[in-house]
Amino acid sequence: GKEIMEMKLKARMEQHGSTANMTEDEIRQRAMRNPEVVQILSDPAMQAVLQQMQSDPRAAADHLKNPMVAGKIRKLMDAGIIRNA
């Protein structure tokens, strides 16, 4: 279960390797031009989720069980905002 999810996430991140040679700032600036990303990042509930994921990596697995949260996290990963979930 969990390992498969993590492998899929890793594969997705590698697919989106176009951000690999961009600086953090460039990635963030590009992401902030995406209204969907801006909306997710300005959502207080998602801010709490992201903070919790940063302080407790195991929390990410729990949050990914929620399809709505997982979709938003995936969107942020695709945009390059989240590097290691």
Side-chain angles (χ1 to χ4, degrees):
K2 191 174 150 246
E3 289 84 9
I4 293 171
M5 271 295 273
E6 286 171 6
M7 282 166 56
K8 283 183 182 173
L9 288 174
K10 224 172 224 131
R12 281 183 75 94
M13 286 170 71
E14 284 162 12
Q15 269 176 357
H16 299 281
S18 59
T19 57
N21 53 10
M22 291 170 73
T23 67
E24 295 273 330
D25 279 348
E26 288 171 329
I27 293 168
R28 196 165 286 277
Q29 285 170 3
R30 189 185 71 180
M32 294 319 257
R33 288 195 292 268
N34 179 337
E36 210 173 350
V37 169
V38 173
Q39 187 181 1
I40 292 169
L41 290 175
S42 61
D43 177 349
M46 280 306 293
Q47 288 173 5
V49 166
L50 294 172
Q51 275 186 316
Q52 189 183 1
M53 284 172 60
Q54 277 183 323
S55 60
D56 179 8
R58 289 180 314 239
D62 288 337
H63 289 302
L64 290 170
K65 290 176 189 160
N66 176 333
M68 263 185 54
V69 172
K72 290 178 179 182
I73 289 172
R74 206 165 292 121
K75 181 71 61 186
L76 294 180
M77 287 175 70
D78 289 349
I81 295 286
I82 298 178
R83 276 294 180 46
N84 50 352

